[in-house]
Amino acid sequence: MKFCISFLAFVLACASGLTPSVHAADRPNILWFVVDDMSANFSSYGETLIKTPNVDRLAKEGVKFTQAYVTAPVCSTCRSAMITGMYQTTIGSHHHRSGRGELKIHLPDGVEPVPALFQKGGYYTCIGSGLPGLDLRGLPYGEGLGKKAAKKAAKAGKTQGKLGKTDYNFEWDPKIYDSHDWADRAKGQPFFMQVQLPGGKLRGGDSKGAKALAERARAEFGAETDPAKVTLPPYYPRDPVLLEDWAAYLDAVKLTDKHVGKVLARLEEEGLMDNTLIIFMTDHGISHARGKQFLYDEGAHIPFVVRGPGITAGKVREDLIMQIDMAPLSLAAAGLSVPAAMQGKDILAKDYQPREAVYSARDRCDETVEHIRSVRTDRFLYIRNFLPNRPHLQPNAYKDGKDIISALRAAHEAGTLPSVSEDLLFSPKRAAEELYEYVNDRWQVTNLAANPDYKDTLEKHRSMLERWIVETKDAGPESEAMYDSDMVEYRKKGNPVIEANIALMKKWAKEGK
């Protein structure tokens, strides 16, 4: 049935003039690689400890963007923005895993998920691993899973059980995806494919997961990454747990690159490579104490590479872009109209004018309430903490369940952390404003907000952020009713840590903290 419906949409789109200048069969396929929890640790971006030949190939044959950032450094909010080409704060999808309870979130009028627009334009829409017979980890379905998970994978339907990650915070129709793979499309029909990969999640959250990934790396590459050779950001101590985890993370980068290579080989084997626009990106940076969920480079900076028809090979662009630019860029490449309300920009358009700044937001993540905004120009990063009386590492069951966070908290309690770690990770309060000259301060360690030499720069960026909040209709803090609605779902996990954290969030809110 899906095949018939998709083919009918294809025929109607061709007849209706949705692609005025391009014959349907000649339009490019669009393929996105969307990777979880991974920073720009690829050799084409300067990583030296590992080699990533397949992503490097895309960069060599396409255009590499060095200043790409996400509008939200956590999965669901980033993806809600990515799939609509809109700021998550504008469409009310900016709280992580929101709208999952009784109270729902609906997209504003005039905003549609990109797959729906592609379907209307005659494209076959799919989301999966990009490799028939293999799951998102690049392994046969069910392999390496527990008995219960393997049984569930085996029982899954041919299509629905293999669909890739969506994680949107708003209500959406699953029919916007025709399948998990492009194989069943009509003859000559172009496809819009999202290859969704677990990326940094492959390493799990504990030493057991890290060791298991090291074993897989030995099996597939002949050796795992040596923890002793890992370079950590300056605010992380060279603790054995952190080193083992970062090494496993780099093995995850290599495995991700290998999966990319297999998909590229498939495109070539099927004669599709030359007519497929490929975008490689990640949904935010590494999951760590100052990475995922936060607005520093470690959390918000991502790799972003585009290869395909009409793309100049080997080009490097240093202008500021965002992940919401994927939507208009892809629609335009397909010859489809870009909705007027879409906030992303076609960064490949001939008349495109580079942005002066990009913006990001951090809001509630799971049970943990937060409210942070940032603006980044070509030299400076300005961050506004709207809840400065709370610590950087607020209690959070997801993050506190990771061995790396447990190790950091233990070192903090023991008083063995270096001062930079204490100041940046465990200060009981935060500055209301942060300003970093990130081009000379890679890890954003020196806050210049209180430095009188940067008074004009601070005021300029403060004004830019305040203007953006108003102009984009930033929806701001979550209502208590919505928080309570979403926490019903979290409470179903039966985790006493979550219960305690919810109580603490409510207590702090009453105290005005």
Side-chain angles (χ1 to χ4, degrees), residues 74-77 94-98 100 167 169 292-293 362-370 395-400 402 478 482-484 486-491 493 498 501-502 505:
V74 72
C75 305
S76 71
T77 52
H94 51 302
H95 297 282
H96 184 43
R97 303 275 158 77
S98 54
R100 313 296 171 103
D167 209 12
N169 289 330
K292 177 180 180 179
Q293 299 186 355
R362 155 73 196 273
D363 292 278
R364 175 180 61 75
C365 283
D366 303 318
E367 76 275 15
T368 305
V369 176
E370 188 59 280
N396 178 265
Y398 164 73
K399 280 212 161 181
D400 289 339
K402 294 177 178 291
E478 188 175 37
M482 179 60 85
Y483 179 81
D484 289 342
D486 285 325
M487 289 307 102
V488 170
E489 297 303 306
Y490 279 88
R491 282 176 159 143
K493 298 179 181 181
I498 291 178
N501 289 347
I502 291 173
M505 294 299 115

Side-chain angles (χ1 to χ4, degrees), residues 60-345:
K60 183 179 180 180
E61 297 178 358
V63 55
K64 178 179 73 173
F65 291 85
T66 62
Q67 292 282 70
Y69 298 89
V70 290
T71 58
V74 72
C75 305
S76 71
T77 52
C78 172
R79 291 162 184 268
S80 296
M82 174 192 75
I83 209 65
T84 58
M86 302 289 292
Y87 290 113
Q88 71 284 351
T89 46
T90 298
I91 61 175
S93 297
H94 51 302
H95 297 282
H96 184 43
R97 303 275 158 77
S98 54
R100 313 296 171 103
E102 182 180 355
L103 300 182
K104 303 298 182 183
I105 298 169
H106 297 274
L107 289 174
D109 291 342
V111 178
E112 289 187 84
V114 170
L117 299 176
F118 272 105
Q119 273 187 340
K120 291 178 180 179
Y123 272 70
Y124 191 77
T125 59
C126 32
I127 181 169
S129 71
L131 298 173
L134 299 182
D135 65 13
L136 306 181
R137 303 167 301 156
L139 297 174
Y141 285 95
E143 182 177 308
L145 301 176
K147 290 184 179 180
K148 185 175 180 180
K151 185 177 180 181
K152 182 179 179 182
K155 290 177 64 178
K158 288 185 178 181
T159 295
Q160 292 300 325
K162 300 177 182 179
L163 290 179
K165 182 174 180 177
T166 51
D167 209 12
Y168 313 139
N169 289 330
F170 50 80
E171 294 295 285
W172 58 283
D173 186 349
K175 292 179 181 178
I176 64 175
Y177 291 113
D178 294 308
S179 179
H180 69 289
D181 194 81
W182 67 76
D184 292 331
R185 72 193 188 284
K187 183 178 180 180
Q189 183 180 13
F191 62 80
F192 168 54
M193 173 72 187
Q194 293 175 62
V195 177
Q196 296 282 344
L197 302 178
K201 283 184 167 60
L202 286 171
R203 76 194 203 272
D206 56 21
S207 181
K208 180 180 178 181
K211 286 179 170 58
L213 196 64
E215 290 180 9
R216 182 178 172 187
R218 279 196 296 273
E220 297 196 27
F221 302 114
E224 72 274 37
T225 300
D226 184 355
K229 296 181 179 179
V230 163
T231 299
L232 298 175
Y235 39 78
Y236 296 146
R238 293 191 65 78
D239 179 276
V241 173
L242 273 69
L243 293 172
E244 178 186 56
D245 172 79
W246 200 283
Y249 161 73
L250 291 177
D251 286 335
V253 176
K254 291 176 65 177
L255 288 164
T256 297
D257 182 77
K258 182 177 179 180
H259 194 123
V260 169
K262 289 181 178 181
V263 176
L264 298 183
R266 179 188 174 191
L267 290 172
E268 289 181 318
E269 290 169 3
E270 296 180 11
L272 299 171
M273 191 71 164
D274 291 343
N275 196 40
T276 300
L277 181 80
I278 300 170
I279 299 177
F280 178 89
M281 56 83 72
T282 67
D283 67 353
H284 49 72
I286 183 175
S287 180
H288 218 299
R290 211 168 179 247
K292 177 180 180 179
Q293 299 186 355
F294 294 99
L295 307 183
Y296 309 103
D297 273 17
E298 191 185 337
H301 181 243
I302 60 169
F304 195 99
V305 180
V306 185
R307 178 210 186 274
I311 303 297
T312 302
K315 188 173 183 179
V316 177
R317 279 180 50 176
E318 299 178 348
D319 52 308
L320 297 161
I321 69 165
M322 298 181 283
Q323 98 282 10
I324 59 174
D325 297 330
M326 295 170 71
L329 180 165
S330 300
L331 290 169
L336 301 176
S337 298
V338 177
M342 194 170 278
Q343 293 165 319
K345 303 296 182 184

Side-chain angles (χ1 to χ4, degrees), residues 234-235 290 296 379-383 419-421 423-424 431 433-454 457-458:
Y235 39 78
R290 211 168 179 247
Y296 309 103
R379 194 170 190 86
F380 291 94
L381 168 65
Y382 170 80
I383 296 175
S419 59
V420 65
S421 304
D423 292 344
L424 297 181
E433 295 180 298
E434 300 175 56
L435 180 69
Y436 301 97
E437 191 173 16
Y438 70 91
V439 293
N440 294 319
D441 184 6
R442 177 186 176 188
W443 299 109
Q444 293 91 69
V445 171
T446 304
N447 183 6
L448 303 171
N451 187 326
D453 292 341
Y454 293 87
T457 301
L458 178 70

Side-chain angles (χ1 to χ4, degrees), residues 328-363:
L329 180 165
S330 300
L331 290 169
L336 301 176
S337 298
V338 177
M342 194 170 278
Q343 293 165 319
K345 303 296 182 184
D346 177 9
I347 53 178
L348 297 182
K350 291 182 179 180
D351 61 350
Y352 174 71
Q353 295 297 315
R355 291 184 177 88
E356 180 185 7
V358 292
Y359 299 84
S360 298
R362 155 73 196 273
D363 292 278

